[in-house]
């Protein structure tokens, strides 16, 4: 689940876990209605952003604590903890205290505490927010590996769309407590359902330009400022009925902007001039912030631009 802070991700996770009351609707786990079932009986494990480890206990005891409270046999506890430690590559740290471990290893201990319970569902809430950029990338790869090994359902809440796109097999985009779209990462990127999804998914984000639809002969053009862009037939057909002389929003992903001569020659009626305000050098990529008719837009190329593909909302 992905969306800006305050959109309802954590509340939804807590309702699934049984920590928040469901005021409307029904929640099923394995076709079983669980609205009135206590949290401890839902067979769900939740891992929060705050790892909440016991500093006076070893890693082993932290991971085993919940099982001891359930009166699980000692041999079974050891078996589960050692199995989880092997999955997490934490065997060498089982008898160390959490406070001497790095933040990513502390996070693994928290995940291990959930793994040993062998739940049906793992819930994770903003799990990587406390890590620096390098460790976030490393740990999202680790969580993906753990997911594949365990073959369990993971429901992961984050405000970072890059995390959601990298880790999710299905992504729920939320805004103000309302689901905007549920799809695969590729589906969200290529066929966003509304402007919020289109602008939220993708880094750098999609460019939006308000334009008027005009018909000249058999051709459809988008007019904004002093610019007139001729649409390809497939795109024009979508706007020909009902949109002529009306305003639409043109959405263009930065990677669909080109300045190669081949593109310029192929679509001369889709060329714009822009003034570069700021260039951000980011290693392999350069982000350009530019003005078209004195409107700031974010692009990735230089000087002249052609638009080979479009997205309309």
């Amino acid at each position: 689940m992905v969306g800006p802070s305050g959109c309802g991700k954590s509340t939804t996770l807590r309702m699934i876990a049984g920590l928040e009351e469901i005021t409307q609707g029904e929640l099923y786990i394995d076709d079983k209605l669980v609205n009135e079932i206590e949290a401890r009986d839902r067979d769900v494990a939740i891992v929060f952003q705050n790892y909440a480890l016991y500093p006076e206990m070893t890693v082993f005891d932290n991971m085993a604590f919940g099982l001891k409270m359930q009166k699980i046999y000692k041999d079974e506890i050891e078996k589960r903890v050692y199995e989880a430690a092997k999955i997490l590559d934490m065997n060498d740290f089982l008898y160390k205290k959490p406070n001497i471990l790095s933040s990513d290893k502390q996070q693994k201990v928290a995940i291990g505490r959930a793994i040993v319970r062998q739940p049906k569902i793992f819930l994770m809430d903003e799990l990587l927010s406390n890590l620096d950029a390098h460790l976030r990338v490393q740990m999202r790869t680790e969580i993906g590996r753990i997911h594949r090994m365990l073959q369990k359902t993971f429901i992961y809440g984050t405000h970072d769309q890059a995390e959601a796109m990298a880790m999710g097999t299905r992504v729920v985009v939320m805004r103000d407590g309302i689901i905007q779209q549920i799809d695969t990462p590729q589906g969200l990127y290529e066929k966003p359902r509304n402007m919020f999804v289109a602008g939220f998914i993708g880094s750098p984000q999609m460019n939006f330009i308000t334009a008027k639809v005009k018909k000249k002969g058999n051709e459809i053009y988008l007019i904004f400022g002093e610019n007139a862009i001729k649409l390809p037939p497939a795109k024009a057909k979508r706007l020909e009925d009902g949109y002529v002389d009306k305003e639409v929003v043109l959405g263009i992903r930065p990677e669909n902007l080109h300045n190669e001569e081949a593109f310029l020659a192929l679509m001369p009626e889709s060329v714009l001039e822009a003034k570069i305000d700021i260039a951000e050098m980011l290693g392999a990529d350069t982000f350009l912030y530019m003005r078209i008719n004195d409107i700031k837009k974010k692009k990735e190329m230089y000087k002249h631009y052609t638009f080979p593909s479009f997205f309309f909302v």
Side-chain angles (χ1 to χ4, degrees):
M1 296 188 296
V2 64
S5 297
C7 73
K9 303 182 299 293
S10 296
T11 301
T12 303
L13 288 171
R14 289 175 63 85
M15 285 192 293
I16 296 171
L19 304 177
E20 293 277 357
E21 180 185 355
I22 297 174
T23 56
Q24 186 176 349
E26 296 177 335
L27 173 65
Y28 289 84
I29 298 176
D30 278 349
D31 296 324
K32 181 180 180 181
L33 182 65
V34 299
N35 286 52
E36 304 301 326
I37 294 179
E38 293 291 332
R40 63 177 179 271
D41 299 323
R42 292 192 182 188
D43 204 9
V44 170
I46 186 165
V47 186
F48 293 105
Q49 177 181 348
N50 179 2
Y51 313 138
L53 303 177
Y54 297 104
E56 72 279 4
M57 294 184 182
T58 64
V59 168
F60 181 100
D61 289 333
N62 267 279
M63 292 171 65
F65 183 77
L67 301 181
K68 290 178 180 178
M69 293 297 99
Q70 296 177 42
K71 310 292 186 185
I72 304 292
Y73 288 117
K74 182 179 178 181
D75 290 348
E76 178 65 17
I77 291 175
E78 288 187 356
K79 176 185 174 185
R80 292 193 193 183
V81 171
Y82 284 123
E83 284 177 352
K86 184 177 180 181
I87 291 170
L88 296 165
D89 195 21
M90 289 287 289
N91 296 79
D92 295 338
F93 302 95
L94 280 176
Y95 296 100
K96 297 183 183 297
K97 298 290 180 67
N99 57 357
I100 69 167
L101 302 180
S102 60
S103 55
D104 60 317
K105 287 183 171 57
Q106 290 183 27
Q107 185 178 68
K108 285 186 175 183
V109 178
I111 295 172
R113 190 168 52 190
I115 290 175
V116 297
R117 290 182 52 193
Q118 299 178 349
K120 292 179 180 177
I121 300 174
F122 289 83
L123 307 177
M124 299 181 175
D125 189 16
E126 297 283 6
L127 200 56
L128 306 184
S129 296
N130 291 337
L131 303 181
D132 60 39
H134 173 72
L135 286 179
R136 279 202 302 272
V137 174
Q138 180 179 317
M139 278 305 301
R140 76 186 188 204
T141 304
E142 274 292 295
I143 292 171
R145 181 183 66 82
I146 294 166
H147 174 245
R148 288 191 297 273
M149 289 184 67
L150 296 178
Q151 292 293 297
K152 300 279 188 177
T153 295
F154 281 36
I155 304 179
Y156 187 101
T158 179
H159 65 274
D160 187 333
Q161 57 91 17
E163 278 182 21
M165 297 289 279
M167 298 167 63
T169 53
R170 300 282 290 177
V171 181
V172 178
V173 182
M174 299 181 68
R175 182 189 189 189
D176 297 332
I178 298 172
I179 291 174
Q180 303 294 308
Q181 187 171 348
I182 304 174
D183 209 330
T184 63
Q186 196 70 19
L188 290 175
Y189 192 79
E190 294 179 351
K191 295 181 179 180
R193 189 168 292 171
N194 56 39
M195 279 187 64
F196 175 78
V197 177
F200 192 78
I201 299 297
S203 180
Q205 70 182 50
M206 181 182 284
N207 300 284
F208 294 112
I209 300 173
T210 300
K212 181 164 281 190
V213 180
K214 288 291 184 181
K215 188 172 184 179
K216 299 180 182 179
N218 293 323
E219 307 292 349
I220 297 292
Y221 288 80
L222 290 182
I223 310 296
F224 50 97
E226 299 175 358
N227 303 289
I229 293 182
K230 178 183 172 182
L231 296 186
K235 304 295 183 184
K237 188 176 181 181
R238 295 174 58 185
L239 298 183
E240 193 168 7
D241 296 329
Y243 288 95
V244 174
D245 294 326
K246 294 182 179 179
E247 283 192 343
V248 297
V249 178
L250 169 64
I252 311 164
R253 294 221 179 265
E255 64 269 23
N256 289 331
L257 299 168
H258 299 272
N259 71 331
E260 296 92 337
E261 291 298 328
F263 279 103
L264 299 177
L266 180 65
M267 301 186 72
E269 293 183 87
S270 295
V271 177
L272 301 176
E273 291 190 4
K275 180 181 179 181
I276 299 172
D277 276 348
I278 301 172
E280 291 181 346
M281 303 295 293
L282 300 173
D285 299 316
T286 300
F287 294 167
L288 301 185
Y289 296 80
M290 309 189 309
R291 291 178 183 267
I292 299 174
N293 296 330
D294 293 325
I295 300 175
K296 286 189 176 181
K297 299 292 172 186
K298 184 190 285 187
K299 314 294 189 231
E300 281 186 316
M301 302 297 175
Y302 294 87
K303 297 180 181 177
H304 296 284
Y305 303 84
T306 184
F307 299 74
S309 59
F310 300 84
F311 165 68
F312 297 103
V313 291

